[in-house]
Amino acid sequence: MKILLSWLNEYGDFADPTDDAAVQRLADVMTGLGLEVGDIARVGATVDGVITARVERLVQHPDAAKVQRVYVDAGDGHERHVWCGAFNMAEGDIVPLATLGTSMPNGMTIERRGILGIDSEGMLCAPDELGLGSDHSGILILPEGTPLGVPYGEVLGVRADVLFDLDVTRNRPDCWGYVGIARDVAARLGVEFRPPSPVLLADGDQRSAPIELVDGDRCGRFTSIVLSGVHIAPGADWMQRRLAAAGMRPISNVVDVSNYVMLELNQPNHAYDLDTLGGGGFRVRVADEGEQMRTLDGETRTFTSSDLLICDAHDEPIGIGGVMGGLDTEITEATTTVVLEIAWFHYLSVLQTSARLGLRSEASARYERGCDPYIIETAQARFVELLRETCPNLVVHAGMVDARGPGLPSLERSTTVRISEVNRILGTRLVADDLPGLLDPIGFTVDGDGDTRRVAIPSWRPDSDVEIDVIEEVARHHGYANLGKTVPKSTVHGNLSVRQQRRRELRDLLLGLGISEAMPNPFLAPDTLSKAGIEGPTISITNPLVVEESVLRTSLRPGLLESIAYNESHRRPRVKLFEIGHVYPPGSGELPDEYEALCVVLAGADAPAAMAVWREISNSLGVGARIDQDRVPPGLHATRSATLQAGKNPTGAVGEVDPRVLSRFEVAERVAVLELNLDEVLGREPKPAAWKPVSRMPSSDLDLAFVMDDTVPAEKLDKAIRQGAGSLLVDLELFDVFRGSSLGDGRRSLAFRLRLQAADRNLTDSDIADVRRGAVAAAAKLGAELRG
């Protein structure tokens, strides 16, 4: 929020704009109050060399259609010739003239320049060229009777000023107005707080704009007052400069006063042209489904039954409650009588409508944070007081209408505050008698005796309700810097949970195997899952940033396949990637059946490589699973993949990606894959690690090849060999798979290497022969034949 120091100083003597040290102290005070100052800018400095001059003659050159020749007198009797591209001036007008040698704010130096061989002796200035707002529609016309040859700043009353850029948080709705900020700063500095206190006196006959408050829950208060004798004209110069500094474009006296009151008192308001207000009154109701209205920005808005509308007495919409007015009743140059509407709307109603329509305004920003429902009379009087400066014949008619609904908050709000709780929360040593000095100046009135006091909460602080809210105010005005620093003490030392430890162990293991961690986007395009061969319902995002990221993933595999495809397209084959992340299959209720998963993809590798990774994980984490080739997960190779089954629950999958899936992702290599449900794996109690002595005896390798049907999983043969080989077997590796016509259709050869070792002796030929017989016999039970 932009805060102009000269404006703020109207409510208290805070700092001299020319005193840099005082300005910095004020900025530090506001930051200490939680109103962080992000920037301090010097404004209002005039441009040396720009003086006032009178237009003597205007001449159009026949060969220059877009510029004209202007002859001006700067009071020295010397007529100067200036080329000018603006046409809004007339002979006799007083304008600002940048003389030769003047350095303009944009860095340009005014020099003698010629057009069509005719020199220009200076430049006539628009408001924005002098730092007076953003208007570049024409040359700045100064008031009649302005003396010639004097600096333009003396004429306009422009003085050096300071502009603070404040970051006002949502829990300080009162500080969206100058008065709220001034109240806090005055209390902190101990200076007199001078809020505006105008009094509204009706000086006209009875004339009112009746109000029918249909939905009083969302609009707790709605007031109207009729003002006649209005003359539409530019706003006061000083007001225009202040509004421009605050980032608002001056429009007309009525609109400027409306915006000024909003910025000053944090009270949005709206002036309607009474002559265009149907029936001369208001009706506040919820919208009908599909109802439409053109707002002040010229857009046609379509409403639902959740929106609150301000209608005229004929029930035609003329405004969106708390957001923006309608186009048909806006103030025009023909307006002579206005109805000033000031209301209080429930913050949630304004927030929902503003968000749904994508329509944010200065009014909605304030209403959705919370306004003071009991400052309306002051805002009305302030509006009239300021408008009379440009409308001296303004008449305030008797008959102000004040409609109130059940949604209006109570004026009487209070809570108890215990000084013991204040000191416990803040770590201070305050006494109860310190509370009035800290709280009374900001409107939190303290009453009672003893260590527990009753504190009345002011109406302009809708964010405060209970004791902890008041304690926060004590902290701010006692000073955060005075609270000291203490380290919280705990009897519980911080540590990782068992699940976190096992997840970290898993990640370290995979990294140790040379597999890199990837973090693809959890949002997918609608067709990405089907490309990966994974069908079924998904959860769509209501407001995705892009359509290509509108579905929550139900598997980690598609994102990693896209990563492999990307690496292949950049000539990076055989990448090894893993991801630990959450997936979101739809659940039976409103929420998905979210769980944590692991996916490992090994480009250029086959199913045994994935099995090797699974064995490493199984050994490291102390978990196991049965290989079930009868159940192949979708998107995986039909004969080279299997489900990992732990009891009745599938815990993952292992194998290779279906070649058709790889083709859709434009991946040329084979891809081995391992998928695990980490909620199952990490949550499972690991088998206790048993210590085994390391044998010092030599080992021997034995290679055996078996021919068996393709329908029998290799894992079953692996298990059978382990059981048949006995205690001398210390390692078993499948090192070759062969298929050929010599073996017959539907059959394959599996070659295993058995490593044998005894703990206490050298192996004999008899030992090795016994192991061989046991392994062959166990394999034969599966229909496997020893290959010669």
Side-chain angles (χ1 to χ4, degrees):
M1 183 175 177
K2 306 292 186 182
I3 296 297
L4 198 62
L5 179 54
S6 61
W7 190 350
L8 190 68
N9 277 337
E10 286 197 0
Y11 316 113
D13 299 325
F14 300 126
D16 182 350
T18 62
D19 186 340
D20 290 342
V23 169
Q24 186 59 54
R25 282 195 299 271
L26 177 59
D28 293 341
V29 167
M30 290 191 288
T31 298
L33 289 170
L35 306 171
E36 183 179 0
V37 178
D39 185 50
I40 304 174
R42 291 284 178 182
V43 297
T46 58
V47 182
D48 293 336
V50 179
I51 59 176
T52 59
R54 181 174 58 242
V55 177
E56 298 292 332
R57 289 185 293 141
L58 299 170
V59 179
Q60 185 66 51
H61 194 286
D63 297 328
K66 295 184 178 181
V67 292
Q68 63 177 333
R69 302 178 67 185
V70 184
Y71 293 88
V72 298
D73 176 15
D76 56 2
H78 171 65
E79 188 176 66
R80 291 174 172 86
H81 169 261
V82 179
W83 284 103
C84 185
F87 293 83
N88 66 312
M89 70 202 89
E91 293 179 359
D93 285 343
I94 310 298
V95 295
L97 169 69
T99 56
L100 295 175
T102 300
S103 297
M104 301 300 291
N106 62 2
M108 178 179 67
T109 300
I110 305 301
E111 297 175 349
R112 187 182 296 272
R113 289 184 174 90
I115 298 178
L116 299 175
I118 304 172
D119 287 344
S120 181
E121 302 178 84
M123 183 182 78
L124 305 184
C125 302
D128 67 327
E129 293 168 329
L130 300 174
L132 301 175
S134 58
D135 185 10
H136 194 71
S137 60
I139 300 302
L140 175 63
I141 307 299
L142 298 172
E144 293 183 17
T146 297
L148 303 181
V150 300
Y152 73 98
E154 294 182 11
V155 177
L156 296 177
V158 177
R159 295 179 177 84
D161 211 335
V162 176
L163 188 66
F164 297 103
D165 189 358
L166 269 59
D167 180 14
V168 182
T169 54
R170 293 189 67 91
N171 68 325
R172 292 306 309 276
D174 59 312
C175 287
W176 275 70
Y178 271 78
V179 168
I181 295 172
R183 179 186 295 109
D184 258 29
V185 174
R188 189 74 179 90
L189 293 177
V191 302
E192 180 187 2
F193 173 48
R194 302 187 298 267
S197 53
V199 178
L200 183 64
L201 298 176
D203 52 6
D205 57 1
Q206 182 77 21
R207 193 174 182 185
S208 62
I211 300 167
E212 182 183 358
L213 196 56
V214 179
D215 193 336
D217 289 329
R218 295 198 233 184
C219 178
R221 191 177 182 193
F222 196 99
T223 68
S224 69
I225 187 169
V226 177
L227 309 174
S228 63
V230 175
H231 170 65
I232 302 302
D237 289 340
W238 64 268
M239 186 178 294
Q240 291 189 49
R241 288 196 297 272
R242 286 186 174 181
L243 291 175
M248 304 191 78
R249 181 172 62 91
I251 298 175
S252 68
N253 53 352
V254 175
V255 177
D256 290 355
V257 167
S258 175
N259 288 332
Y260 191 92
V261 170
M262 177 181 66
L263 293 176
E264 181 180 59
L265 299 176
N266 190 38
Q267 178 56 64
N269 56 90
H270 192 85
Y272 293 88
D273 188 329
L274 182 61
D275 294 332
T276 61
L277 181 64
F282 298 95
R283 191 168 189 266
V284 184
R285 61 170 176 84
V286 295
D288 296 328
E289 287 290 337
E291 196 169 4
Q292 293 185 328
M293 184 193 73
R294 288 183 68 199
T295 46
L296 282 172
D297 57 2
E299 297 290 328
T300 298
R301 311 285 179 177
T302 302
F303 305 108
T304 69
S305 57
S306 64
D307 301 319
L308 186 69
L309 296 182
I310 301 172
C311 303
D312 61 21
H314 296 155
D315 208 30
E316 290 296 324
I318 57 173
I320 310 171
V323 181
M324 185 174 287
L327 188 64
D328 295 336
T329 55
E330 69 173 335
I331 301 299
T332 67
E333 292 183 358
T335 300
T336 59
T337 305
V338 302
V339 179
L340 177 62
E341 167 259 304
I342 304 181
W344 180 89
F345 299 99
H346 194 279
Y347 74 94
L348 195 56
S349 172
V350 176
L351 178 62
Q352 290 174 339
T353 295
S354 177
R356 191 188 66 78
L357 294 175
L359 179 61
R360 294 295 303 277
S361 65
E362 291 286 343
S364 68
R366 286 164 171 79
Y367 276 126
E368 68 187 35
R369 287 164 174 77
C371 292
D372 182 2
Y374 297 99
I375 201 176
I376 289 178
E377 289 83 358
T378 301
Q380 288 175 334
R382 185 64 167 155
F383 185 97
V384 171
E385 180 181 54
L386 294 172
L387 187 58
R388 276 208 165 106
E389 184 172 340
T390 54
C391 296
N393 298 320
L394 187 70
V395 176
V396 180
H397 290 273
M400 190 268 278
V401 181
D402 186 353
R404 304 192 180 198
L408 182 65
S410 172
L411 180 60
E412 304 295 331
R413 294 185 304 139
S414 65
T415 186
T416 57
V417 176
R418 297 160 292 172
I419 193 62
S420 59
E421 189 69 2
V422 172
N423 289 329
R424 186 187 72 81
I425 296 291
L426 304 183
T428 53
R429 295 182 179 180
L430 299 173
V431 296
D433 288 339
D434 294 328
L435 296 180
L438 295 170
L439 297 175
D440 284 359
I442 58 171
F444 287 75
T445 307
V446 180
D447 189 31
D449 298 313
D451 289 341
T452 299
R453 303 290 175 96
R454 173 66 58 176
V455 178
I457 299 174
S459 59
W460 57 81
R461 292 301 301 272
D463 58 295
S464 298
D465 283 301
V466 294
E467 182 181 41
I468 191 62
D469 298 325
V470 179
I471 293 175
E472 181 181 350
E473 299 306 309
V474 173
R476 289 194 307 109
H477 286 275
H478 179 63
Y480 291 125
N482 298 324
L483 297 182
K485 300 176 182 178
T486 58
V487 178
K489 297 179 180 179
S490 173
T491 57
V492 179
H493 295 288
N495 54 30
L496 297 176
S497 66
V498 173
R499 182 186 178 99
Q500 291 170 329
Q501 291 173 2
R502 287 166 64 77
R503 184 190 298 110
R504 180 172 293 185
E505 182 181 348
L506 173 61
R507 181 175 277 111
D508 291 343
L509 170 65
L510 294 170
L511 293 172
L513 292 174
I515 307 173
S516 301
E517 184 170 10
M519 296 182 181
N521 196 327
F523 307 129
L524 304 174
D527 63 339
T528 303
L529 286 168
S530 59
K531 276 176 58 179
I534 303 170
E535 303 292 346
T538 57
I539 296 175
S540 297
I541 302 170
T542 304
N543 55 343
L545 295 178
V546 291
V547 176
E548 292 76 14
E549 300 173 358
S550 60
V551 173
L552 283 174
R553 63 187 179 187
T554 59
S555 169
L556 303 180
R557 198 189 317 152
L560 291 175
L561 289 177
E562 288 182 335
S563 297
I564 289 178
Y566 179 84
N567 278 276
E568 273 197 6
S569 69
H570 288 71
R571 305 180 70 177
R572 298 275 301 186
R574 305 185 67 82
V575 297
K576 300 177 181 180
L577 303 173
F578 78 90
E579 180 185 5
I580 296 175
H582 287 251
V583 294
Y584 309 89
S588 56
E590 294 183 1
L591 299 177
D593 287 336
E594 177 184 354
Y595 65 89
E596 188 176 23
L598 164 71
C599 184
V600 180
V601 290
L602 309 172
D606 53 12
M611 279 297 304
V613 175
W614 161 241
R615 288 197 184 98
E616 293 291 342
I617 293 174
S618 176
N619 292 333
S620 176
L621 298 184
V623 295
R626 178 170 54 86
I627 306 298
D628 186 357
Q629 281 190 290
D630 295 333
R631 300 172 60 187
V632 178
L636 299 188
H637 197 291
T639 60
R640 298 177 186 168
S641 304
T643 296
L644 294 172
Q645 196 80 16
K648 296 181 180 180
N649 301 321
T651 193
V654 65
E656 293 182 30
V657 178
D658 191 323
R660 293 169 296 180
V661 171
L662 296 177
S663 177
R664 295 186 203 117
F665 281 89
E666 299 181 0
V667 174
E669 305 171 274
R670 296 170 72 170
V671 177
V673 62
L674 170 65
E675 295 180 327
L676 294 176
N677 182 335
L678 292 186
D679 282 0
E680 294 281 342
V681 173
L682 299 182
R684 202 183 308 169
E685 193 70 29
K687 297 177 182 178
W691 176 80
K692 291 183 179 179
V694 178
S695 175
R696 303 174 65 180
M697 300 301 166
S699 62
S700 295
D701 290 347
L702 173 64
D703 292 348
L704 297 175
F706 296 93
V707 178
M708 60 190 305
D709 292 339
D710 281 338
T711 57
V712 180
E715 186 71 14
K716 285 189 176 181
L717 181 57
D718 181 291
K719 186 175 182 181
I721 293 173
R722 291 178 185 274
Q723 291 175 345
S727 60
L728 295 180
L729 180 68
V730 294
D731 190 32
L732 180 64
E733 177 189 3
L734 174 65
F735 67 88
D736 183 61
V737 179
F738 171 74
R739 288 179 173 84
S741 58
S742 61
L743 301 179
D745 294 337
R747 293 171 67 78
R748 71 196 189 283
S749 170
L750 302 176
F752 288 88
R753 176 164 291 131
L754 292 74
R755 177 154 295 174
L756 311 178
Q757 188 178 35
D760 55 353
R761 58 188 171 84
N762 290 331
L763 295 177
T764 65
D765 290 342
S766 175
D767 292 328
I768 295 174
D770 289 342
V771 170
R772 187 177 186 278
R773 281 192 297 272
V776 171
K781 294 179 181 179
L782 299 176
E785 301 173 2
L786 183 65
R787 186 181 177 194

